[in-house]
């Protein structure tokens, strides 16, 4: 086996200072208010807000973000699936107040949570996700609001973060009643792609260049956890044993974080992947072990120590048989028995130690009861047009998210 050698450079931790934090204040009138050195934005219900309806009516409802569009293009080809009469139907569609792609969901209690999506879509639930009410930063210009794609939401004990694109980071300490906008340094390497609430005033953020940062003062300062970006590492070390890694230029996609803080990411070309664990100075590249392009990757039961899963072009799903050696260039993946009809698989999640769910193009859903070895078709979303992009199991239950405002709740 080729040995990856890394020269560890002693470097001071990078601290990104944020300044001029803008307050998001609640408003019952939705009118713009002036503050000294800060732009006040307010969260308000829009059920009776005609301006909100007007702004959404003049745009095409079914458009998605760049990443979702590209994924849909690569996953919706294939022969139509023949639905077996005995196929399960374990998910129920939940109505949401918009028809844009739903990107993420999170709860700060079993009953209270938020969903975020394309074109400024933002909704809140207070009944465990059975019903959702639209929310809006009402003193943003309507044309400006729809330019944001809210892609990540994360809550911990009433403290929450929302990450949008173009880069927009929002923070709340009171369960979403008021928000503040957190400025980020323009020198940040790459675009922020993920945010996780980790405690009071604390969060962890990752960028498209593999930079990982933590804050303990509500985003006013960020401390680097990795010494250099992925492309800097791969252009400095000997990585000839990993196809596509030498002299790499580009970004990473599909960044995933496990429950212990380890990260997994796929190169933007889908030709290799990388891992990083807390305490490591650099990301480590790994071969994909197949000529097919990687679609997405994640952790078995939410922990890198339990193994990894990988989806490939053409509807293939690979799962490691056991824990993996993170210093190895190649991992022992085995192909799962899953008949997708050629539709690509976009996400995989473990509900229990043995029950596994996979979702994909054309709203296909599959379930395994033997820890990901064999899958059967679930027809819950078979008659709904669109694509599923995300499946996750939280304290509030199981959720599947997709295009055209699709939100499914697991019923078993």
């Amino acid at each position: 086996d080729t040995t990856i050698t890394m020269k560890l450079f002693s470097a001071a931790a990078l601290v990104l200072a944020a300044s001029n934090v803008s307050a998001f204040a609640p408003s019952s009138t939705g009118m713009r208010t002036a503050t000294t050195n800060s732009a006040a934005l307010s969260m308000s219900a829009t059920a009776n807000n005609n301006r909100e309806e007007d702004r959404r009516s003049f745009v095409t409802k079914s458009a998605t973000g760049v990443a979702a569009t590209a994924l849909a293009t690569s996953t919706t080809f294939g022969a139509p699936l023949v639905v077996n009469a005995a196929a399960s139907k374990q998910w129920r569609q939940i109505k949401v107040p918009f028809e844009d792609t739903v990107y993420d969901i999170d709860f700060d209690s079993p009953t209270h949570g938020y969903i975020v999506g394309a074109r400024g879509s933002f909704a809140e639930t207070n009944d465990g996700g059975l019903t959702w009410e639209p929310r809006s930063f009402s003193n943003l210009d309507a044309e400006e609001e729809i330019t944001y794609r809210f892609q990540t939401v994360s809550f911990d004990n009433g403290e929450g973060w929302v990450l949008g694109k173009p880069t927009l980071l929002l923070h709340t300490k009171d369960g979403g009643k008021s928000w503040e906008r957190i400025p980020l340094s323009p020198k940040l390497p790459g675009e922020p792609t993920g945010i996780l609430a980790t405690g009071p005033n604390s969060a962890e953020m990752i960028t498209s260049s593999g930079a990982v940062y933590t804050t303990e003062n509500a985003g006013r300062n960020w401390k680097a956890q990795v010494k250099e970006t992925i492309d800097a590492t791969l252009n400095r070390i000997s990585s000839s044993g990993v196809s596509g890694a030498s002299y790499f230029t580009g970004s990473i996609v599909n960044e995933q974080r496990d429950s212990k803080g380890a990260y997994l990411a796929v190169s933007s070309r889908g030709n290799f992947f990388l891992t990083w664990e807390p305490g490591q100075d650099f990301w480590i590249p790994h071969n994909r072990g197949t000529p097919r392009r990687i679609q997405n990757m994640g952790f078995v039961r939410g922990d890198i120590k339990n193994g990894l899963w990988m989806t490939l072009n053409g509807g293939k799903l690979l799962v490691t048989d056991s824990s993996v050696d993170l210093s190895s260039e190649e991992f022992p993946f085995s192909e799962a028995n899953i008949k997708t009809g050629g539709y690509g698989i976009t996400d995989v999640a473990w509900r229990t130690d043995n029950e596994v769910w996979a979702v994909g193009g054309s709203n296909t859903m599959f379930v395994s009861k033997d820890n990901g070895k064999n899958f059967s078709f679930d027809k819950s979303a078979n008659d709904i047009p669109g694509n599923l992009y995300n499946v996750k199991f939280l304290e509030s239950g199981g959720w599947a998210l997709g295009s055209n405002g699709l939100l499914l709740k697991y019923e078993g």
Side-chain angles (χ1 to χ4, degrees), residues 295-333:
Q295 289 271 64
N296 199 6
M297 293 188 69
F299 306 102
V300 173
R301 299 190 299 281
D303 191 332
I304 198 169
K305 299 301 184 184
N306 296 328
L308 304 176
W309 58 263
M310 174 192 295
T311 65
L312 307 171
N313 275 351
K316 301 292 185 181
L317 171 61
L318 308 180
V319 183
T320 59
D321 295 326
S322 59
S323 61
V324 293
D325 178 6
L326 296 182
S327 64
S328 174
E329 289 179 359
E330 296 189 13
F331 291 174
F333 284 100

Side-chain angles (χ1 to χ4, degrees), residues 194-227:
I195 188 79
L196 178 73
T198 57
N201 294 316
S202 300
E204 188 170 292
M205 178 175 64
I206 186 171
T207 78
S208 58
S209 293
V212 179
Y213 297 97
T214 58
T215 181
E216 295 179 348
N217 58 5
R220 285 158 179 78
N221 301 93
W222 297 87
K223 183 178 181 181
Q225 304 301 302
V226 185
K227 287 191 174 181

Side-chain angles (χ1 to χ4, degrees), residues 100-117:
D100 304 292
T101 297
V102 184
Y103 283 116
D104 201 10
I105 183 172
D106 202 15
F107 288 74
D108 65 344
S109 76
T111 57
H112 180 244
Y114 286 97
I115 52 174
V116 296

Side-chain angles (χ1 to χ4, degrees), residues 24 42-46 52 55-56 96-98 100-101 104 106 113-125 132-137 145 148 150 152-155 160-163 168 170 172 175-176 179:
F24 282 63
S42 62
M43 287 279 293
S44 66
T46 56
E52 174 68 12
R55 82 170 178 86
R56 293 200 186 278
V96 301
F98 54 84
D100 304 292
T101 297
D104 201 10
D106 202 15
Y114 286 97
I115 52 174
V116 296
R119 283 198 302 278
S121 299
F122 203 0
E124 181 182 17
T125 181
W132 296 85
E133 294 294 331
R135 296 290 180 258
S136 165
F137 297 102
E145 187 173 357
Y148 287 110
F150 297 131
T152 303
V153 57
S154 178
F155 270 88
W161 301 79
V162 170
L163 182 63
L168 178 70
L170 312 177
T172 180
W179 295 78

Side-chain angles (χ1 to χ4, degrees), residues 374-393:
N374 299 280
F375 285 80
S376 58
F377 184 69
D378 181 275
K379 60 184 178 182
S380 298
N382 193 57
D383 297 327
I384 304 173
N387 299 285
L388 285 166
Y389 299 119
N390 193 349
V391 58
K392 59 197 308 185
F393 293 94

Side-chain angles (χ1 to χ4, degrees), residues 335-396:
E335 184 172 345
N337 177 22
I338 182 169
K339 296 178 174 59
T340 66
Y343 291 104
I345 300 169
T346 53
D347 199 19
V348 179
W350 267 250
R351 193 182 79 85
T352 67
D353 285 349
N354 290 310
E355 184 177 331
V356 190
W357 284 88
V359 300
S362 197
N363 286 340
T364 49
M365 306 186 79
F366 304 88
V367 60
S368 167
K369 297 297 181 67
D370 58 5
N371 197 30
K373 295 180 177 63
N374 299 280
F375 285 80
S376 58
F377 184 69
D378 181 275
K379 60 184 178 182
S380 298
N382 193 57
D383 297 327
I384 304 173
N387 299 285
L388 285 166
Y389 299 119
N390 193 349
V391 58
K392 59 197 308 185
F393 293 94
L394 309 171
E395 183 181 356
S396 60

